[in-house]
Amino acid sequence: MVSLHSDMKKPGGSDFPVMQGIISREFFDAVFEQAPPMYMARPDGTVIYANQGYKEHFRPGAAQRVEDQILPTLPQDHLDIVKRIAETAETETRQLSLRSGKETEYFLSRHFPIFDDDEQLIAICGSFINSTRQVNAEAKLKEEKRRFLDITRAASDWIWETDADGRLTFVSDRVVQAVGLPPMLLKNKKLSDLGVFKPEVDGGNKAEDAMEKHVPFRSVPLEIQDTSGEYKIFNMSGVPVFNEKGRYIGYRGTSDDITARLLAEDEALSSKADLERAINEITKKNIQLEVTAKKALESAKAKDNFLANMSHELRTPLNAVIGFAEVIGLETFGPINDKYREYVGDILNSGKHLLSLIEDILDIARIESDKIPIEIVSTPLAGMVGDAYVLVQNHAREKSLEIIGTRITEDINLAVDPTRCLQILVNILGNAVKFTPRGGTIGIEYEIIDDTFVDITVWDTGPGIAEEDQEKIFEAFKQAHEGVYNRGTDGVGLGLTLSLKLARLMGGNITVKSSLSDGSRFKIRLPLAH
């Protein structure tokens, strides 16, 4: 609280600040312009004086005329302080921060009332001391302290300090987890009171010897019995502490619980013999595996040779059978009666079916041996779907099935092998035709996924597939025992297996969603061409 008084009054009875009656304006300006940022205002907030430092740092508002001078107005937060002090007549101290470019400045501000001889409040004054260095130093100190504590917590279980007599003056809170006792019960105790230091080979005590000589010690085991009666072993490390005059004042150190580590080491030692025996067994097994692997390679080679031979030996006569059946069906060498025509049709269909099965088996074998050729090119989706529809439409028409969604007008190109892509679509669409009851409906839908893939969904109104059978249908030579994929239909269970393998070879996938009452939805995901 400040009181200003003077016998001098400005002519005319004006209540212009009395301090101008004490000292000249020039002297006033010369003194206060050198001072830290400050302002002086009437209780109503009218500025009486603000030095250049205040104007530069706090950028007061638009100027206003006060009698014969033009002075700035206070910022709103300072004006609020002035009005509050005008009501309470109490000094306020605040820490302020100012953003200056990319840096922040801090000021310790003090706002106090000024009274005249009659104890009447005539002004409020505010001064600002730049405390940036102090605030930054305190922040840095806090950060360093936090970093030290973090590192200490990460590097040890608990920390401790002793006085010059070796008695504990500080123990961190984590000691409760370690030994089951709060820090306050451990103060004034010596480390040797907590447990027993493991003696050296010569019977000496490394930690106690070091503390007597005021030198550091490191990783000295201390065995402590906690409140539950369990023994724990801690690695104790400490360094002597000296004051600014070089006088020894105690120790500071850390403690690490190594109980689990020692137990693990004991278990490791006890199991060393078992491990060596296991290594010997593994070595023997590896030798056996090498022999087995060699035999497997020979078997795989033999299988490849067999498949190559089968490809020639089976397809050659089958092609001949199919060709001759077609010649007979065309009645090239003379007419045949209806019964023979029916037999020829059966021979032709059976031969083509058997040839298709052989091709599927060979394709699966090629995929598993990485010998199937895949040539990725940009292929129109509409053409693939249209071609697949053409190949199954006769069978669908025979069963009075409706197939919708086959006309795709959108220009979508796939990055696939056209032959293999068509093979997948025909397999999936053919299955839908095969297993959907007469008069049912089959649909084709598609959806672009993240401009990367297209999902082609083939759905049907068939009986559906049980959930437990949905993974089984993708296995070679496996079909579901219930639902639509059963042994009552032709095929040996290779179409879906081959389709899934081909889709994955081209960077795609096939999934199924079905139930026994809602039909099936097979989703074929294939990559888009860019």
Side-chain angles (χ1 to χ4, degrees), residues 478-499:
K478 296 278 184 74
Q479 292 183 339
H481 295 295
E482 296 178 358
V484 297
Y485 292 93
N486 55 52
R487 292 302 178 184
T489 61
D490 57 348
V492 293
L494 289 175
L496 287 177
T497 304
L498 181 58
S499 296

Side-chain angles (χ1 to χ4, degrees), residues 54-82:
Y54 181 84
K55 296 175 185 177
E56 290 177 355
H57 283 90
F58 298 99
R59 303 182 184 277
Q64 64 178 358
R65 178 172 290 280
V66 179
E67 296 190 0
D68 62 340
Q69 299 187 66
I70 297 177
L71 295 171
T73 58
L74 293 176
Q76 186 60 45
D77 53 342
H78 295 177
L79 184 60
D80 293 340
I81 295 175
V82 168

Side-chain angles (χ1 to χ4, degrees), residues 353-362 364 427 431 434-435 472-481 485-498:
H353 180 65
L354 182 57
L355 184 61
S356 174
L357 293 180
I358 292 172
E359 291 292 346
D360 286 348
I361 293 173
L362 292 175
I364 290 176
N427 279 341
N431 276 345
K434 183 189 304 181
F435 300 114
K472 186 186 304 181
I473 61 175
F474 289 104
E475 299 178 14
F477 304 106
K478 296 278 184 74
Q479 292 183 339
H481 295 295
Y485 292 93
N486 55 52
R487 292 302 178 184
T489 61
D490 57 348
V492 293
L494 289 175
L496 287 177
T497 304
L498 181 58

Side-chain angles (χ1 to χ4, degrees), residues 159-163 167-171 251-253:
I159 56 178
W160 51 271
E161 292 181 0
T162 71
D163 57 18
R167 298 188 179 278
L168 292 169
T169 57
F170 169 79
V171 184
Y251 262 81
R252 288 180 186 148

Side-chain angles (χ1 to χ4, degrees), residues 336-354:
I336 57 176
N337 61 36
D338 293 340
K339 196 64 177 177
Y340 280 115
R341 188 176 293 106
E342 180 182 348
Y343 289 158
V344 168
D346 291 341
I347 293 171
L348 184 60
N349 290 334
S350 298
K352 289 181 177 180
H353 180 65
L354 182 57

Side-chain angles (χ1 to χ4, degrees), residues 389-390 392-403 433 438:
Y389 171 69
V390 169
V392 301
Q393 64 178 342
N394 289 336
H395 191 186
R397 192 177 295 114
E398 291 173 359
K399 296 181 65 176
S400 301
L401 300 177
E402 181 184 11
I403 303 180
V433 171
R438 179 175 295 276

Side-chain angles (χ1 to χ4, degrees), residues 90-106:
E90 295 181 353
T91 298
E92 290 191 16
T93 301
R94 291 177 173 273
Q95 182 78 40
L96 304 176
S97 63
L98 288 178
R99 189 71 177 175
S100 177
K102 294 183 179 180
E103 298 181 354
T104 301
E105 288 188 285
Y106 298 90

